[in-house]
Amino acid sequence: MAATRQDASGQQPQFITSTRNGNHMNAPLIDSVDTDQIVVPEKTSWKNLFAYMGPGFLVSIAYIDPGNFETDLQSGAQYKYGLLWIILVASCAALIIQSLAANLGVVTGKHLAEHCRAEYSKVPNFILWILAETAVVACDIPEVIGTAFALNMLFKVPVWVGVLLTGLSTLVLLALQQYGVRKLEFLITFLVFTIAVCFCIELGYAKPRAAEVLYGLFVPQLKGNGATGLAISLLGAMVMPHNLFLHSALVLSRKIPRSVRHIKEACRYYLLESGIALSVAFLINISIISVSGAVCNSSTLSQEDQESCSDLNLNKASFLLRNVLGKWSSKFFAIALLASGQSSTITGTYAGQYVMQGFLDLRLEPWIRNLLTRSLAIVPSLIVALIGGSAGAGRLIIIASMILSFELPFALIPLLKFTSSKTKMGSCANSFVVSAATWIIGSLIMGINIYFLSSSFIKLLLHSHLKLASAILFGIFGFSGMLVYLAGIAYLVFRKNKETTPLLVLTAPEIERTTNGSATRTDLSLPREDIVSMQLPQRRADVDVD
């Protein structure tokens, strides 16, 4: 007798659990009522791509969130199109890293947070969980402030009131969860293309010169004071730690046949799907920089607009666009910012849920999880908005981006090590060339972020008005913390993987048994793990099935 949860119609729920010893058991944590499984057909066809479409667009939101908006605006305002090539390089690196996250989930049936819990002892695992949760809150802060700015632009709502109103998006998210993962993916894709359409219209208003844009995109250059620092900010903002946890979990929503051929097919299609989604995000980032560069380098700018361009942020951008390009340009920018903020809250909430479930094997009700994350983001945003106004809220976005840069190695290093391990990935482990390339890319990104953090700390010390003794004491504490930080990175890099994860690919005897008819078609396609459901929990009584 096996205990199974089934709905009234006898259909299997969307996510299924399985045990480590390879024996599958149909025991979902949450039943989905009116939502069909996303089933990948066993027959090989290019049409299978449509079954895989979705996770990449949820992940792409992190590349066009309000934090990226602000960095892009500053890049265009200060250096016109000179830093566009950074976006191209960062997008290519992001595609490679995100594909590794997807591969980890597809091949092993466990997402990144679950692998960390299985691999590390209690203390390192707890520290990694705290860092991951902090990253989720840090990614939610730009969303809160960006949405508040958008509401201010569209409806003249004070920024601090807009911060409070963002809490209502919790109710919107809860309403969306009833309709299942597929419709949620469609909504996010719609919001991404809404942002893209808005900035295509902005390009029509701004009319940047195509030749200059292409030159900036393909000819590397770092001209002017501060160009290196802003380039580092652009690179650091492109790969976010919570996105790695999110992507490795989202791919588990597909019911993929567990054969070597289908596993490799899934990896290829997820790479293609991620490429499509990140290409749209890339074009949006290029459009933002191009619009900002064209507007702030116009010969017809007033003195007031020139001052806005010298210290451009999300709030000033609206007034600048209205003054230079007209009222509707400002409105389209606000709509794009609102779409970016609201889509970010959805992906951020699920990233937090996967992190908690993976590291602690603990799941909260979705509304509790959303409320907790949002409260932790709203409180500092509200305090800063009340005290520092729009300028203070804009600076908080930069601080949140620095926190994300600080925490990136603690998600990226485990991902690189796990996907290069044959004990975890089997024949799907990274080849030597892929491993070398990804470690070089990862090392560059982490090195850039460490340089950015250390240089920012040194500048803070040099420009602070502290007394000499206080500055020295502050510096000792700061650099001691940096040494601890580097020691943590070294621990993750040089520690050998100990745990072996059973692969979810059928062995030769299992394939032979299937051929002889002793295994069912269902056995070939069950996902390994029940990850958090995309629906509101609908608990039902257990039903015993022979």
Side-chain angles (χ1 to χ4, degrees), residues 52-70:
Y52 293 105
M53 295 292 285
F57 282 94
L58 269 74
V59 167
S60 71
I61 287 298
Y63 298 89
I64 48 175
D65 70 350
N68 286 87
F69 273 34
E70 180 148 322

Side-chain angles (χ1 to χ4, degrees), residues 247-264:
H247 203 178
S248 63
L250 287 174
V251 297
L252 299 179
S253 62
R254 270 55 180 175
K255 189 178 180 184
I256 301 169
R258 306 310 300 180
S259 66
V260 174
R261 178 172 62 84
H262 286 100
I263 292 294
K264 291 186 176 181

Side-chain angles (χ1 to χ4, degrees), residues 444-457:
L444 286 174
I445 293 174
M446 289 184 289
I448 286 170
N449 284 334
I450 292 170
Y451 169 79
F452 177 69
L453 289 168
S454 57
S455 61
S456 298
F457 179 70

Side-chain angles (χ1 to χ4, degrees), residues 163-464:
V163 168
L164 289 176
L165 289 176
T166 58
L168 296 177
S169 63
T170 298
L171 301 177
V172 176
L173 180 57
L174 289 175
L176 292 173
Q177 287 176 313
Q178 301 179 67
Y179 300 104
V181 60
R182 200 56 163 164
K183 293 180 177 63
L184 182 65
E185 290 171 349
F186 280 130
L187 173 66
I188 294 295
T189 304
F190 170 76
L191 292 174
V192 169
F193 280 102
T194 298
I195 299 169
V197 169
C198 287
F199 277 104
C200 283
I201 296 173
E202 294 284 6
L203 286 173
Y205 281 114
K207 296 181 175 62
R209 293 185 178 180
E212 293 182 14
V213 171
L214 290 174
Y215 183 83
L217 189 59
F218 294 107
V219 179
Q221 53 185 308
L222 289 172
K223 297 179 181 178
N225 295 328
T228 302
L230 195 51
I232 289 171
S233 298
L234 285 171
L235 276 173
M238 289 302 286
V239 180
M240 305 229 177
H242 71 283
N243 237 18
L244 305 182
F245 295 105
L246 179 66
H247 203 178
S248 63
L250 287 174
V251 297
L252 299 179
S253 62
R254 270 55 180 175
K255 189 178 180 184
I256 301 169
R258 306 310 300 180
S259 66
V260 174
R261 178 172 62 84
H262 286 100
I263 292 294
K264 291 186 176 181
E265 177 190 79
C267 292
R268 287 194 301 270
Y269 279 132
Y270 274 127
L271 174 62
L272 178 58
E273 187 254 354
S274 297
I276 295 170
L278 293 181
S279 295
V280 176
F282 165 74
L283 293 175
I284 291 172
N285 282 301
I286 293 297
S287 300
I288 297 171
I289 294 176
S290 300
V291 169
S292 175
V295 170
C296 287
N297 291 276
S298 172
S299 58
T300 60
L301 282 182
S302 65
Q303 183 64 32
E304 181 184 356
D305 291 334
Q306 289 178 7
E307 292 176 358
S308 296
C309 285
S310 64
D311 186 25
L312 192 59
N313 58 34
L314 290 175
N315 202 39
K316 289 181 180 178
S318 172
F319 299 105
L320 177 67
L321 292 172
R322 184 181 61 195
N323 294 341
V324 178
L325 301 180
K327 176 182 177 182
W328 280 106
S329 174
S330 174
K331 296 297 184 185
F332 281 119
F333 175 79
I335 292 170
L337 184 58
L338 184 63
S340 171
Q342 288 307 294
S343 53
S344 296
T345 187
I346 297 173
T347 56
T349 297
Y350 286 122
Q353 186 71 51
Y354 295 139
V355 163
M356 179 173 287
Q357 176 263 335
F359 278 106
L360 304 182
D361 198 19
L362 172 67
R363 298 189 313 149
L364 297 177
E365 297 286 354
W367 70 270
I368 297 177
R369 171 75 223 186
N370 198 345
L371 182 62
L372 178 62
T373 304
R374 183 50 50 87
S375 298
L376 291 174
I378 283 179
V379 171
S381 302
L382 182 61
I383 293 173
V384 171
L386 287 171
I387 297 175
S390 299
R395 284 192 290 271
L396 187 59
I397 291 179
I398 303 300
I399 294 173
S401 298
M402 292 178 66
I403 292 173
L404 290 169
S405 299
F406 172 85
E407 296 181 1
L408 178 62
F410 299 98
L412 183 56
I413 293 173
L415 175 67
L416 296 180
K417 293 196 70 173
F418 295 159
T419 54
S420 299
S421 170
K422 289 191 179 295
T423 62
K424 294 185 182 295
M425 299 285 287
S427 62
C428 296
N430 298 336
S431 66
F432 175 79
V433 174
V434 173
S435 292
T438 52
W439 274 103
I440 290 172
I441 292 171
S443 298
L444 286 174
I445 293 174
M446 289 184 289
I448 286 170
N449 284 334
I450 292 170
Y451 169 79
F452 177 69
L453 289 168
S454 57
S455 61
S456 298
F457 179 70
I458 292 172
K459 287 180 182 178
L460 178 64
L461 284 179
L462 294 176
H463 294 91
S464 66

